[in-house]
Amino acid sequence: MPGPQLVAFDLDDTLAPSKCAIPEPIGDLLVRLAERVEVAIISGGQLEQFRKQVVEQLPAAPDEVLERIHLLPTCGTQYYRLRGGEIVTVYAHALTQDERDRALAAVESEAKRLGLWEAEPWGDILEDRGSQITFSALGQQAPIDAKMAWDPDSSKKSTLRDAVAAQLPDLEVRSGGSTSVDITHRGIDKAYGMKQLADATGISLDDMLFVGDRLDPDGNDYPVLALGVDCHAVEGWEDTVAYLERLVPTLG
């Protein structure tokens, strides 16, 4: 059976620890993979995170290899390619100022009402990413151990998500990473990003593979599985390295 023509990845806790640079083995494997097939990264994070965590960490490679890497921040509401050593915009679908203002107000008020607004966060709790508003319960720079301990069963995030969604019926509100809730235009999730990839590349969803750490029904990778894309679950970047070391030699 032929292998995938495109392999897509979640970023945090799949290719790298949350908000951290990709480890060297991941960078090497992404380039080896891009020598054979198209490679995509889809995450709720903004472009600057992709730049720092991934692009600036990739080993040297020919332009024609790097051009096979597709970057889809904020779950595919933005789409970028690597061309000639630059990050080039394919599209960016921003929220309106009214939508952003209402989203910021709703998530702050509901978080405070539910007792989920941290008095001393590590960095900003709210972030306007243009096409997405993100609430990070402990702040954008919170250490990984604190983030993992904050909401292990996702009940806090789910309660906040439901409360904010009731205030913003015209927008999409969903659980993001370990401590985050994301707000975008309706219908925006990682499945949306995968469909955008299919349209842009001409590669069928049936010929794609997605690798992520949150493929459970409450996870932000689950929409890709529900879309019918072939998926592989990992529990961290080390799992991804082990999987790619088996997969890459079978491709191309």
Side-chain angles (χ1 to χ4, degrees), residues 60-231:
D63 285 349
E64 60 265 27
V65 173
L66 297 178
E67 286 175 6
R68 295 198 190 103
I69 298 177
H70 308 250
L71 307 175
L72 288 89
T74 55
C75 294
T77 55
Q78 301 172 24
Y79 185 2
Y80 302 90
R81 302 289 299 274
L82 301 180
R83 294 205 174 108
E86 301 293 327
I87 298 176
V88 177
T89 304
V90 178
Y91 66 70
H93 303 319
L95 294 164
T96 66
Q97 189 62 54
D98 172 68
E99 289 168 336
R100 287 147 68 187
D101 289 345
R102 288 189 294 111
L104 287 164
V107 72
E108 180 172 350
S109 64
E110 290 302 315
K112 288 179 175 177
R113 182 180 68 82
L114 292 167
L116 300 177
W117 189 266
E118 185 68 27
E120 297 182 3
W122 287 273
D124 294 335
I125 291 176
L126 296 178
E127 187 178 9
D128 183 347
R129 298 176 175 175
S131 56
Q132 177 176 292
I133 299 300
T134 293
F135 165 89
S136 296
L138 303 180
Q140 288 290 325
Q141 308 305 321
I144 295 172
D145 56 348
K147 292 170 68 172
M148 298 305 292
W150 182 74
D151 188 24
D153 65 355
S154 297
S155 59
K156 293 178 182 177
K157 281 191 305 175
S158 295
T159 299
L160 178 60
R161 191 219 74 82
D162 292 347
V164 175
Q167 300 292 325
L168 301 170
D170 58 321
L171 297 175
E172 188 83 32
V173 185
R174 66 184 179 280
S175 294
S178 54
T179 64
S180 63
V181 170
D182 298 326
I183 304 168
T184 63
H185 285 133
R186 290 196 68 78
I188 304 298
D189 55 24
K190 290 184 182 179
Y192 171 87
M194 296 298 288
K195 292 174 185 176
Q196 296 302 306
L197 275 173
D199 289 344
T201 63
I203 297 172
S204 165
L205 292 171
D206 291 338
D207 293 318
M208 295 184 183
L209 168 68
F210 179 84
V211 180
D213 71 304
R214 292 297 311 277
L215 287 160
D216 54 286
D218 290 329
N220 61 353
D221 296 329
Y222 182 74
V224 182
L225 182 64
L227 185 62
V229 173
D230 188 19
C231 292

